[in-house]
Amino acid sequence: MGILESITGPRDLDRLSHAELVQLAAEIRRFLITEVSKTGGHLGPNLGVVELTMAIHRVFDSPNDPIVFDTGHQAYVHKLLTGRQDFSRLRQRGGLAGYPQRSESPHDVVESSHASSSLSWADGISRSFSMTGQLSRHVVAVVGDGALTGGMTWEALNNISDDNSRNLVIIVNDNGRSYAPTIGGMARFLNGLRTRRSYRDLYFSSRKLADRLGSPAQALYRGLRGGLHGFLSRFTNNEALYSNLDIKYLGPIHGHDIAALEEALSQAKAYSAPVIVHVITQKGKGYEPALLDEADQFHAVGQIDPETGEPLDAPGSPSWTSVFAEEIVRLADVDSRIVGITAAMLRPTGLHKLAAKYPDRVLDVGIAEQHAVTSAAGLAFGGLHPVVALYATFINRAFDQVLMDVALHKAGVTFVLDRAGVTGPDGPSHHGMWDLAILQVVPGIRLSAPRDATRLREELGEAVAVQDAPTVVRFSKGSVGAEFDAVRRTHDGVDILSESDNRDVLIVTVGPMAELGLQVATRLADQGIHATVVDPRWVVPVPRSIIDLAGSHRIVISIEDGVRVGGIGTRIRQDLRAAGVDTPVTELGLPDEFLDHGSRSEIMEQVGLTPQAIARDLVAQVMGSTLPAAKTST
């Protein structure tokens, strides 16, 4: 049995020698490569924090000393060391979550995987310990260098530095990357520390020299290390960034030297005040395919061959992201006003192709969605048309900027929201289920939801043509799937996908729910119930033809992959009432709950968004109701 199998909790690490710790680190890397290659997940970030996580658990006493990960995709090693070693169903229903999850373990504190929030969490927790007399407890925040591009971290640092009486250790896990290489002035500063030879060669090489000379030299090294570190830190101006904040700084520390990490963390623990420990790690360490991947160093992978790193997924339909990536370049070719903005996710959102062709027309602002949106308003004022590409879950972070900076100023800004609706394995913090309900309250906004690749290209072109209001194009994660042509299109752009002379049910589908709507209509037809299926294409504002069609049917149902509370169905019902149309509306969508991780199909079945469930309920509603008789089209 290897050492890893004997680890049931953090205190099992205490008995291990340095040689055994090195062996354990190697075992953990082999385990991660083997297991994550089967299920997919965040591989590169976790390979980079093996020694760091081991050192944290050796020096601190979790869960008595809470550990907050920012973001949680670097917590796989933490899970292994806290007794969770069954990765067979990682990110699948019934298996381990891909992020910290309180229901799994008391060692997991913060579940959200939205970056740059850890220092605020740590500030609040440490203040609570001080205020309640729990003075022996420490709080550890592990924050990636990419998260330092987010404004929330600096808001937190400002407040943390205002009270130096707390046991708070901030570990900056600096690997030069968030998803992709970290950008901006902060990145340049940290990169200077990583690459400055006067510091790096003396500090990092000193231990290797001591190791070669044997135990007497190692003892001398440990004795001189503190003074050497302090001198070199001041000599190379490492503390300049934090000196005005009055926060103690230690580093940079070799992030794969367990002894050096333990020593630095022990110093930080004994300081009895907020301390920043700057740790340099290598994302993807120990796995050659990840190190050779310049795009993201295997940040997140699907099923892969563990030997080669090659994906095992069979080629299929193009992804929504790839369709957008190609179309935005085509549009930019003919419209020089189009510029792209992303928040540290150039490739995941599909803007990488635009950046490759027009590098001066794409801005990566780091993990700073609020800044991205307001900066876009400024770009629009200057005569450009910004396309802000984000995951749908992250638009929540910039709602005030969308409302007050873009919409209030009637700025022509297009928001492209990837991973909208149910995303699946990443769990509650990544489902893009709130955007429709949140954004439709913004005055003047126009929301579109393409059902297939053709409509994505079409609606994106329509969106960037709007110069006096915010526009939104949202689409799902994964493959685009089948095309669904319209029987006809109304004068205001609504696509009729299926209709009959008898009008029992009007099914209004949002985006990719068109396929589900057509499947429901087929099942209803088997029961003698006639349905019209429509795709509004632009769901907000509600097209007039939807109101007219509703008036000629016995019942209306809306199907959306967003939260149904305040969703598109609610908007349709309100607009019908305002127009004096009394046709009843049934609103189908996602419940106002945090949905656990699982496949998209499992979650859709869980919430009742399947052809069988919807058709069964509609048959009961139509057959057993006192609704007016079916209407006939003229």
Side-chain angles (χ1 to χ4, degrees):
M1 184 176 71
I3 297 176
L4 178 58
E5 289 89 341
S6 70
I7 304 298
T8 60
R11 299 285 57 84
D12 290 337
L13 299 172
D14 297 344
R15 57 178 168 77
L16 301 182
S17 66
H18 178 75
E20 288 172 323
L21 290 171
V22 172
Q23 179 182 338
L24 175 60
E27 290 183 14
I28 289 173
R29 285 196 170 90
R30 286 197 298 270
F31 177 95
L32 291 174
I33 294 167
T34 300
E35 295 300 319
V36 177
S37 67
K38 298 175 185 176
T39 61
H42 290 94
L43 183 55
N46 288 285
L47 292 174
V49 296
V50 175
E51 291 86 359
L52 174 58
T53 309
M54 291 166 58
I56 291 171
H57 278 294
R58 289 254 296 179
V59 173
F60 296 95
D61 181 24
S62 175
N64 184 64
D65 296 331
I67 304 170
V68 181
F69 288 93
D70 187 340
T71 62
H73 62 235
Q74 59 183 324
Y76 290 7
V77 184
H78 165 76
K79 294 196 177 202
L80 288 173
L81 299 179
T82 52
R84 290 168 282 175
Q85 297 183 12
D86 181 3
F87 273 49
S88 61
R89 293 186 58 79
L90 176 68
R91 301 166 72 243
Q92 300 172 15
R93 173 154 295 190
L96 290 179
Y99 296 92
Q101 186 164 305
R102 287 181 175 180
S103 61
E104 284 184 6
S105 171
H107 295 279
D108 290 2
V109 177
V110 177
E111 297 190 8
S112 174
S113 60
H114 289 195
S116 306
S117 63
S118 64
L119 300 192
S120 297
W121 269 100
D123 175 55
I125 295 171
S126 63
R127 285 182 189 275
S128 74
F129 288 169
S130 295
M131 295 171 71
T132 56
Q134 302 179 72
L135 304 182
S136 64
R137 301 181 71 179
H138 289 74
V139 182
V140 181
V142 184
V143 55
D145 62 295
L148 294 181
T149 62
M152 209 174 158
T153 57
W154 297 99
E155 295 172 23
L157 281 170
N158 180 57
N159 283 275
I160 289 169
S161 65
D162 189 50
D163 178 5
N164 277 339
S165 64
R166 290 172 286 146
N167 297 326
L168 172 56
V169 177
I170 300 166
I171 300 172
V172 177
N173 172 28
D174 178 9
N175 59 23
R177 311 176 75 88
S178 44
Y179 194 107
T182 309
I183 58 87
M186 170 58 64
R188 287 193 296 273
F189 176 85
L190 294 177
N191 186 61
L193 300 189
R194 284 195 303 273
T195 58
R196 186 175 292 132
R197 294 188 61 84
S198 60
Y199 188 95
R200 182 191 65 191
D201 292 352
L202 283 172
Y203 189 67
F204 286 173
S205 299
S206 57
R207 183 173 189 89
K208 293 182 179 179
L209 175 62
D211 288 343
R212 284 198 298 271
L213 294 177
S215 56
Q218 290 171 348
L220 178 63
Y221 165 81
R222 285 192 295 270
L224 295 177
R225 185 182 181 93
L228 174 67
H229 161 70
F231 169 75
L232 289 175
S233 179
R234 288 188 293 273
F235 177 73
T236 56
N237 202 29
N238 290 348
E239 297 190 39
L241 180 64
Y242 306 105
S243 59
N244 289 334
L245 291 174
D246 194 25
I247 299 178
K248 179 70 174 177
Y249 172 90
L250 296 175
I253 311 298
H254 195 309
H256 303 294
D257 183 333
I258 296 175
L261 287 166
E262 286 190 35
E263 185 175 342
L265 293 177
S266 296
Q267 291 179 17
K269 182 178 181 180
Y271 192 61
S272 300
V275 182
I276 291 175
V277 182
H278 181 190
V279 176
I280 296 176
T281 62
Q282 184 181 42
K283 190 173 183 179
K285 182 174 176 58
Y287 188 40
E288 193 67 17
L291 298 179
L292 294 174
D293 179 19
E294 295 182 1
D296 62 13
Q297 291 183 319
F298 280 36
H299 179 88
V301 298
Q303 292 180 315
I304 60 173
D305 181 326
E307 298 298 325
T308 66
E310 292 297 318
L312 298 179
D313 299 337
S317 302
S319 68
W320 289 96
T321 308
S322 66
V323 174
F324 162 71
E326 294 172 358
E327 186 62 16
I328 192 63
V329 172
R330 193 192 69 78
L331 291 169
D333 286 340
V334 298
D335 188 347
S336 61
R337 298 172 306 161
I338 292 177
V339 294
I341 302 180
T342 185
M345 291 194 135
L346 188 70
R347 183 171 295 271
T349 60
L351 281 179
H352 61 293
K353 290 190 176 181
L354 182 62
K357 188 167 186 179
Y358 300 110
D360 295 335
R361 292 168 63 183
V362 176
L363 307 173
D364 184 346
V365 302
I367 303 175
E369 290 85 358
Q370 292 175 313
H371 168 66
V373 173
T374 301
S375 180
L379 288 166
F381 176 79
L384 300 174
H385 190 102
V387 176
V388 182
L390 305 170
Y391 283 6
T393 183
F394 295 132
I395 195 66
N396 307 350
R397 313 186 83 180
F399 173 76
D400 183 69
Q401 288 69 30
V402 174
L403 182 68
M404 293 298 175
D405 295 323
V406 176
L408 178 63
H409 294 86
K410 294 181 172 58
V413 176
T414 294
F415 298 95
V416 173
L417 304 184
D418 202 323
R419 273 74 163 175
V422 172
T423 56
D426 282 331
S429 64
H430 269 53
H431 292 309
M433 55 187 283
W434 291 281
D435 58 302
L436 291 173
I438 289 174
L439 292 177
Q440 69 163 300
V441 305
V442 175
I445 200 166
R446 308 179 196 187
L447 306 179
S448 70
R451 67 181 181 271
D452 53 31
T454 297
R455 261 47 65 171
L456 171 53
R457 298 184 186 99
E458 187 177 67
E459 291 162 34
L460 181 62
E462 294 170 1
V464 298
V466 176
Q467 302 303 324
D468 61 352
T471 55
V472 176
V473 181
R474 73 184 303 266
F475 48 78
S476 300
K477 179 181 180 180
S479 299
V480 176
E483 297 267 324
F484 296 98
D485 291 331
V487 174
R488 63 184 177 90
R489 178 169 290 179
T490 67
H491 68 282
D492 54 357
V494 173
D495 279 352
I496 311 296
L497 304 181
S498 174
E499 64 181 337
S500 66
D501 291 339
N502 291 324
R503 297 185 170 183
D504 291 313
V505 180
L506 174 64
I507 303 176
V508 182
T509 62
V510 174
M513 309 308 281
E515 181 176 12
L516 176 57
L518 289 168
Q519 292 171 342
V520 170
T522 298
R523 289 175 177 269
L524 292 178
D526 292 339
Q527 302 296 320
I529 299 172
H530 303 280
T532 301
V533 182
V534 301
D535 170 17
R537 296 174 60 255
W538 289 86
V539 295
V540 172
V542 177
R544 178 66 208 189
S545 59
I546 294 291
I547 297 173
D548 294 338
L549 285 166
S552 63
H553 285 74
R554 300 171 66 194
I555 187 174
V556 176
I557 70 164
S558 62
I559 308 176
E560 58 192 294
D561 56 347
V563 63
R564 64 173 173 260
V565 176
I568 300 304
T570 301
R571 181 68 169 259
I572 292 171
R573 177 167 48 81
Q574 291 173 341
D575 282 12
L576 290 181
R577 298 293 85 79
V581 177
D582 59 2
T583 306
V585 179
T586 298
E587 304 148 36
L588 302 180
L590 302 176
D592 53 334
E593 301 171 3
F594 292 109
L595 302 175
D596 210 348
H597 59 281
S599 70
R600 178 179 171 88
S601 60
E602 288 172 335
I603 294 173
M604 297 295 271
E605 182 174 3
Q606 171 192 335
V607 300
L609 291 180
T610 64
Q612 301 92 326
I614 296 173
R616 182 178 61 248
D617 291 347
L618 275 172
V619 168
Q621 188 175 357
V622 173
M623 296 299 192
S625 72
T626 57
L627 296 171
K631 299 176 182 179
T632 303
S633 62
T634 57

